[in-house]
Amino acid sequence: MANLDRLTLATAPDSWGVWFPSDPKQVSWKQYLDEIAQAGYLWTELGPSGFLPQDPARLRDELDARGLRVCGGTIFAGLHRGSEALDEAIEKCSKESRLLTALGARHLVLLPEQYTDMHSGAALQPGELDAEQWKNLVTGYDRLGKYLAEEFGVELVFHPHADTHVDTQDRVERFLTDTDPQYVNLCLDTGHISYCFGDNLAIIEKFGERIRYVHLKQVDPAVRERVRAEKLSMAEAVPLGVMVEPPYGEPDMPPLLDALARLDTDLFTVVEQDLYPVEPHIPLPIGARTAGYFRACGLGPVRRWPY
């Protein structure tokens, strides 16, 4: 196996069942920060904008008290809808970038807008884009990435996602081909690629220079097959357990980590396991086991006790 020293382990609120800034079915931000520290993590994403405290000084104090640091943030954007959507994205991303940079982070993960409702799974818009909408999408990301780089020194990393217009491997490759690598690069989410029956190793081989950030996630192939057979939405698939903790799903992690290490570049590798909705006592043991698994694979750093 290649040396994994340039891959930095992190986690995200998603792994604690957090999909929304506020929701009665989610853990509190205090429980999240307390428990990721207990599980051994040193790095975290911000999660949905507004979930963690938005005042940089307060958030820095909360992180410092637990020995934590921020690696990135996430924003959804429907740039296929045109100039108004781009203006909205610039406003949201500017707010998030100010918080990120105040905390020493520089990666902003952009997710395309889902065409299904995140609560019910109901279809909200067509699943296909026409030529004009695709042009809006790719040119919008180029403009947004340029703005974030020039205004904040923040790097836009695009996150393909199930139930969006950039989900399958073909669409991911088309998106990368049609966008400017100076301003738009890839957050490789291994679970979403596998959920859509893509090949993570092939993407790493073909577009390795575009991979600047990673979400480590695994899919249960049996549940995935049910999702396909019954034409279920992502919101319906997650409660069925379509995302699982390693090593119980796909893709196989050791060869994937080896391929990422061979890129010989610094990467945050952020553990994610979609769990919404989840009972509040469930995420911590899963998160701790997952940290232990990746530490055994050679990823770090993790907290050593006592601290």
Side-chain angles (χ1 to χ4, degrees), residues 7 93 162 254 290 299:
L7 307 182
C93 290
T290 301
L299 285 186

Side-chain angles (χ1 to χ4, degrees), residues 135-161:
K135 183 179 179 182
N136 288 340
L137 181 79
V138 294
T139 59
Y141 272 103
D142 282 346
R143 291 173 61 187
L144 181 58
K146 186 174 189 290
Y147 172 80
L148 294 176
E150 292 179 350
E151 292 295 320
F152 302 102
V154 164
E155 183 172 7
L156 188 160
V157 283
F158 178 82
H159 181 311
H161 197 286

Side-chain angles (χ1 to χ4, degrees), residues 43-122:
W43 293 88
T44 179
E45 285 185 357
L46 295 175
S49 182
F51 171 63
L52 293 179
Q54 296 296 288
D55 176 71
R58 183 187 180 195
L59 181 53
R60 188 182 302 111
D61 287 346
E62 296 286 354
L63 294 167
D64 287 349
R66 298 166 175 85
L68 297 169
R69 296 183 65 185
V70 169
C71 59
T74 54
I75 294 288
F76 279 89
L79 299 190
H80 65 287
R81 292 186 281 106
S83 59
E84 185 176 336
L86 178 58
D87 290 342
E88 293 171 1
I90 287 173
E91 182 178 354
K92 290 193 296 183
C93 290
S94 295
K95 178 184 176 184
E96 191 79 350
S97 294
R98 292 185 188 99
L99 183 56
L100 286 171
T101 54
L103 297 167
R106 65 180 187 87
H107 291 96
L108 185 50
V109 181
L110 266 291
L111 301 96
E113 186 176 76
Q114 286 187 214
Y115 56 74
T116 57
D117 185 86
M118 292 179 70
H119 287 284
S120 68

